[in-house]
Amino acid sequence: MKNLIYAFASLLFMVSCSQGTAQENMTVSELNKVEFNKDNDKVVLDVRTPEEYAEGNIEGSQNIDFLKTDYFTSSIEGLDKNKTYYVICRSGGRSARASDQMRAAGFKNVVNVTGGMLAWQAANLPVKK
């Protein structure tokens, strides 16, 4: 019986570790340290509305409104799935859902920025208006 319990626990552990569905997250401070290069293989993807984006955004970021579901879905189809995307929104909720959707669509390198633009601005990091 004891061996059966250990075997079941081991199997459960292996299955949970192999799922690969854990959300990759990063803080705004960590994002601020990322070195972006001229190859554009790293992209900050802002998923707020165009109005929110116009109020202030991260220099060089790309805006695709996550709330326009069909638009977002069709827009990400045109993105390079080999690039790394740092997904940010207002506070972290939309970006987490957008990151999940992108992974489900086959993107391998998607990072959700926790705290969003509220955290970015609270940390006094540069904002383009």
Side-chain angles (χ1 to χ4, degrees), residues 9-22:
S10 296
L11 179 63
L12 185 61
F13 178 76
M14 288 187 306
V15 169
S16 66
C17 288
S18 67
Q19 291 293 314
T21 59

Side-chain angles (χ1 to χ4, degrees), residues 13-128:
F13 178 76
M14 288 187 306
V15 169
S16 66
C17 288
S18 67
Q19 291 293 314
T21 59
Q23 176 77 32
E24 264 194 73
N25 294 301
M26 126 181 320
T27 66
V28 293
S29 297
E30 291 168 326
L31 176 60
N32 191 47
K33 294 176 186 172
V34 172
E35 292 188 30
F36 291 87
N37 56 37
K38 293 179 183 176
D39 294 336
N40 296 321
D41 59 347
K42 299 173 189 168
V43 177
V44 175
L45 182 62
D46 191 318
V47 296
R48 297 177 297 157
T49 65
E51 295 79 18
E52 290 173 304
Y53 186 78
E55 291 174 4
N57 57 74
I58 298 172
E59 181 85 36
S61 63
Q62 182 178 346
N63 180 231
I64 303 176
D65 186 352
F66 180 71
L67 295 178
K68 293 183 179 172
T69 309
D70 292 339
Y71 173 74
F72 182 80
T73 301
S74 64
S75 294
I76 64 171
E77 288 175 6
L79 298 177
D80 185 342
K81 293 182 180 181
N82 295 314
K83 292 184 179 187
T84 299
Y85 293 91
Y86 301 95
V87 186
I88 194 165
C89 65
R90 182 179 163 278
S91 61
R94 281 177 277 177
S95 59
R97 293 191 315 272
S99 296
D100 287 343
Q101 184 174 337
M102 291 176 75
R103 282 191 196 91
F107 290 82
K108 302 292 183 209
N109 303 307
V110 181
V111 182
N112 175 49
V113 181
T114 60
M117 286 302 292
L118 291 176
W120 183 271
Q121 292 171 325
N124 291 318
L125 296 170
V127 175
K128 176 186 165 208

